[in-house]
Structure formats: structure tokens, C-alpha cells
Amino acid sequence: MRFTRFKAAAAVMALAGSLAACGSDDDGGSDPEVVEDAEFEAGTTMAELSEQGSMTVGTKFDQPGFGLQGLDDAPEGFDVEVAKIIAGAMGISEDNITWEETPSDIREQVIEDGTVDMVVATYTINEERAQRITFAGPYYNAGQMLMVLSDNDAINGPDDLAANPDAKVCSVTGSTPSEQIKEYLASDDQLVLFDVYDKCADALSNGQVDVVTTDNVILAGFVSESDGEFKLVGEQFTEEPYGIGIEKGDVAFCEFINQTLQDNQDAYVEAWESTAGQVEGAETPELPEPAPCS
Ligand code: GLU
């Protein structure tokens, strides 16, 4: 058994207990509003989805705090709550959302081939991706960091990696951190890639790798569930603005998503505080200004 998912399930159970005390719903979320008589211009994605009364959302299933599959199959986390806010504004309740596990490398593909209506999955907005899909947002600004075993004193930031060429660094295929870390490595042989981050966390725990690198908030989730086994080191060394991926050129849907988040800032804060905000030291973000849709 992959111990991280097992431990994650235990952590979710513990979290569910504490969340009940903060007035959130009992599945670890924030209960966003579902608009009753949402009306939209004919022909728009919003009209189509609200008429259908359901939608499919791509998210992560292995990332504590952002998208982690719980005991009842539905994922939990900040990305999941952000998706619920957007669905709710189209009159779609969480029971009518189908969650599709979407590892980093297939995000553009599942949008392009119509498997999902949108992707909310710690998804950094960048130009290369924006050639293939449209991004709404940003809705959060993360940054890349390193995670090591707590007793590792040799690696204190990315500048220590080339000086320790035997240290293996784990990340995920198709992620921005897996590309950005290369400039800090003695050679590409130092890099180990999996499809999802909990495999990197397992490999760190087993001693197969020495470092895991991705966004600070993803790593903070793994640190928080590791019972002191893992720690974050150094400073954040990139900027990772998270966007919501939708079909290329669907400007009306993009503008609707941005407006919905602007109009639901209390729900946004509650979404954070009931999920990623539970991690020790997490600071509640302010919703960033949206970028123009294209
Ligand atoms: N935000 C980065 C990315 O979009 C890393 C996290 C992830 O792989 O989901 O590639």
C-alpha cells in the first residue's frame, strides 16, 4: 500500500473532526452557494452547463489541502472548493459535479478533448499552456520550493543541489517545477519524475530520493501530514499563479469565472480556511486581480 494515501485518509478523518467545529459542512468543504434560477445568454458554456445541471471538473486526487481523494471518493481541498463556487453560480450543486483525476501532464489534453469542462488543479498560468487552452484567474499565487527529510542538513535550498550531485530530486512530469529545477542540477540524471506527487513523497520517505520539488503549498500539505518526517527548506524561487483551465478561446466562460470569484470573496476565504488554510502557518490569501481573458 502506498502509505501516503493511507496516511492522507487518516489525516482527512482527523481534519473532518476539526472542520465540523468551524461551521463548515461535514465533508471538509465550505458549502458554497448554489444559485437557484441562474440564467445565461443562449449558446454560452454557462447556459449549456446550467441547463444540463451537471459538469465535469478535472482536479488532483493526491495533494493534501488542494485536491485529495477522501474516504467517500470525492476529492477535498481548496481547488475542489473553488470549483464548487463556480459550479454553484451556474446552479450546479456539488452532488452534480463529476470529479476527474487529472495529473499535471494531461491537463491540457483533457480540456482539449472535452473530457472535462474545466480544470482546477494547482495549474500554473503560462504562455506555453495558454497556446492550447484559456486560463481564468489567477485565483492564487504559489511558488516553487524544496522538501527534504527533517534530518537532512545538506540541502538548504536549490543552490545546494549541484554541489550534491548524488542527491536525487523528485517532481512530476508535465509540471513547471520539473522544468525549472533543471538549471539548479549538476545534470538531468539527478531528476526523478513520477505522474503524481504522492509517489514523490513515498520515494522521499523510502530514501529512494532526497528532495521533492514543486509548489510551496503542495509541499506544505505533505509536510503537515508527515508527522515531522519532512520539512520545507529555503525560499520560494519561482512564481506560480494558479489559473482555471477551460477550452481555448471561451472568453465568455473565462469572464464569468473571474466575475464569479470576484463576487464570492467570502466563499473564497472560507474555501481556503476550511482546506489549505488548516495547515500550520498558512496565510489566508486575498483573491488576486484577474488577468484579461483570451
Ligand atoms: N503549479 C505547477 C504546475 O502547474 C506545479 C503543480 C502541479 O504540477 O500541479 O505545473
Side-chain angles (χ1 to χ4, degrees), residues 2-16:
R2 294 195 2 230
F3 103 102
T4 309
R5 276 193 204 243
F6 175 74
K7 278 180 44 174
V12 166
M13 284 166 75
L15 196 63

Side-chain angles (χ1 to χ4, degrees), residues 60 63 103-104 107 121-125 129 142 172-177 197 214-215 218 240-242:
K60 301 297 187 74
Q63 295 178 191
S104 302
R107 290 175 291 198
T122 57
Y123 198 3
T124 296
I125 299 171
R129 293 170 177 170
V172 157
T173 309
S175 69
T176 46
Y197 291 107
T214 186
D215 300 340
I218 300 172
E240 309 289 331
Y242 288 175

Side-chain angles (χ1 to χ4, degrees), residues 175-190:
S175 69
T176 46
S178 69
E179 291 300 322
Q180 292 153 178
I181 200 63
K182 288 181 183 167
E183 69 172 281
Y184 296 97
L185 303 180
S187 83
D188 286 2
D189 294 344
Q190 259 183 289

Side-chain angles (χ1 to χ4, degrees), residues 213-268:
T213 188
T214 186
D215 300 340
N216 48 4
V217 280
I218 300 172
L219 296 175
F222 285 112
V223 168
S224 123
E225 69 168 48
S226 79
D227 283 336
E229 190 186 6
F230 304 150
K231 66 178 178 185
L232 289 176
V233 287
E235 303 290 323
Q236 107 171 42
F237 55 96
T238 69
E239 302 208 335
E240 309 289 331
Y242 288 175
I244 293 152
I246 57 172
E247 190 186 343
K248 177 77 188 151
D250 195 344
V251 170
F253 191 28
C254 174
E255 286 174 348
F256 168 77
I257 291 171
N258 287 342
Q259 193 59 50
T260 297
L261 294 178
Q262 292 293 321
D263 291 347
N264 287 278
Q265 301 209 26
D266 290 350
Y268 170 88

Side-chain angles (χ1 to χ4, degrees), residues 131-178:
Q131 307 278 323
R132 294 176 60 184
I133 58 136
T134 285
F135 281 108
Y139 64 94
Y140 185 75
N141 287 314
Q144 185 170 357
M145 278 184 86
L146 305 183
M147 178 172 81
V148 297
L149 290 178
S150 293
D151 61 4
N152 182 334
D153 296 325
I155 310 282
N156 294 299
D159 294 332
D160 293 331
L161 296 175
N164 290 275
D166 293 335
K168 294 282 184 203
V169 180
C170 193
S171 196
V172 157
T173 309
S175 69
T176 46
S178 69

